[in-house]
Amino acid sequence: MESSGLKQIEKVTLWDRAYAELRSALLAGRFAPGQRILLREVAGALGISLTPVRDAVNHLIAERVLERGTGGQGGGAIVPEIDPDHFRQLTLMRTELESRAAFEAAANVTPQAIASLRDALAQMTGHMQRERRDDYLEMHRRFHFGIYALADMPLLQDTIETLWLRCGPVLNVVLPEYVPYLKKTDYHAAALDALSRQDAQAVAEAIRRDIADAGEYIYQLLRNRQQGTVTV
């Protein structure tokens, strides 16, 4: 078939696009726990056929990021609900892996990276003040992964992304209640300051505290919701 000039590129490209778009939306918390993801709606939003969308969704189901919807493959998928204990386990894994990535990042910091992270942090602050939840979560993701990318450890970053995929939908739900807590201690600014000084231990500690403190607060929110309690 080589002489025919046919190239099997389009299907792979579209599958990659659908997969990347869904991952990005999940990472940014744009889907809520329990929300249905319908194949036709995703295909329509992306302007592509059902087949690559189905392939992307099946892959996310295999990764245990999504759950199979009713009606088999034609039923799309569902964003899993997450119980408090499951969330706590994810938080424990995140603190270890992300603080390590932050530690490694300090050795590879550049002025351009610092400028990009500083811009992301400024946008996070602006979005939080204007209560633009989706935009805040997107810049929050960019800030964290901007640091982790500096570690130049792709296997570690892939694992971190998988954990974020499972946590993202929860952030979508609890962020309105969590915003006041965000204003108490700015671990993001502390991490950026430490990174600019290439203080590996300090940036790792700032990221660890950011995840651990937020995780404990969100864990309590989830527990209270589970038990039907209104306040923390």
Side-chain angles (χ1 to χ4, degrees):
M1 295 293 291
E2 291 181 3
S3 61
S4 69
L6 296 176
K7 297 180 181 180
Q8 295 183 349
I9 291 178
E10 183 179 0
K11 182 178 179 181
V12 175
T13 301
L14 292 177
W15 180 91
D16 286 343
R17 180 185 170 196
Y19 181 70
E21 289 292 335
L22 285 169
R23 279 179 66 95
S24 179
L26 287 161
L27 284 169
R30 295 184 185 275
F31 292 108
Q35 183 174 344
R36 289 192 66 194
I37 296 179
L38 301 177
L39 301 183
R40 291 191 181 278
E41 290 184 0
V42 175
L46 295 177
I48 60 178
S49 65
L50 283 175
T51 300
V53 174
R54 183 180 293 110
D55 290 344
V57 166
N58 285 339
H59 196 74
L60 288 166
I61 291 171
E63 292 179 326
R64 300 177 65 186
V65 173
L66 298 177
E67 294 177 348
R68 179 78 63 197
T70 57
Q73 290 194 7
I78 298 173
V79 180
E81 299 282 355
I82 186 168
D83 65 75
D85 291 332
H86 187 183
F87 181 80
R88 172 167 275 179
Q89 291 179 54
L90 293 173
T91 300
L92 288 172
M93 289 186 284
R94 285 188 57 206
T95 55
E96 296 301 320
L97 297 181
E98 293 178 47
S99 62
R100 183 67 199 191
F103 183 93
E104 299 293 338
N108 302 318
V109 69
T110 65
Q112 293 79 8
I114 293 297
S116 178
L117 290 167
R118 186 171 288 115
D119 178 66
L121 184 56
Q123 291 191 57
M124 284 167 59
T125 302
H127 293 323
M128 182 174 65
Q129 292 172 345
R130 291 188 291 274
E131 298 184 357
R132 296 168 61 173
R133 179 171 63 183
D134 287 350
D135 292 330
Y136 172 84
L137 289 173
E138 173 60 23
M139 294 313 301
H140 175 257
R141 180 184 67 84
R142 290 189 188 182
F143 179 83
H144 275 267
F145 282 94
I147 294 176
Y148 307 151
L150 292 172
D152 194 23
M153 300 178 72
L155 292 178
L156 177 59
Q157 185 165 332
D158 284 348
T159 304
I160 291 171
E161 281 195 6
T162 299
L163 296 175
W164 272 62
L165 285 169
R166 298 188 181 188
C167 291
V170 175
L171 297 179
N172 183 297
V173 173
V174 304
L175 187 63
E177 297 168 75
Y178 180 57
V179 165
Y181 183 80
L182 281 171
K183 300 176 181 178
K184 292 181 180 180
T185 304
D186 195 345
Y187 291 118
H188 296 121
L192 181 56
D193 177 66
L195 193 64
S196 67
R197 294 183 281 106
Q198 293 189 285
D199 186 337
Q201 194 62 52
V203 69
E205 183 60 21
I207 292 296
R208 176 183 289 275
R209 291 291 304 277
D210 175 48
I211 299 167
D213 287 11
E216 183 59 29
Y217 188 88
I218 293 172
Y219 169 76
Q220 293 299 332
L221 286 177
L222 294 173
R223 282 285 303 273
N224 291 339
R225 285 170 179 248
Q226 187 181 63
Q227 297 168 3
T229 308
V230 176
T231 58
V232 178

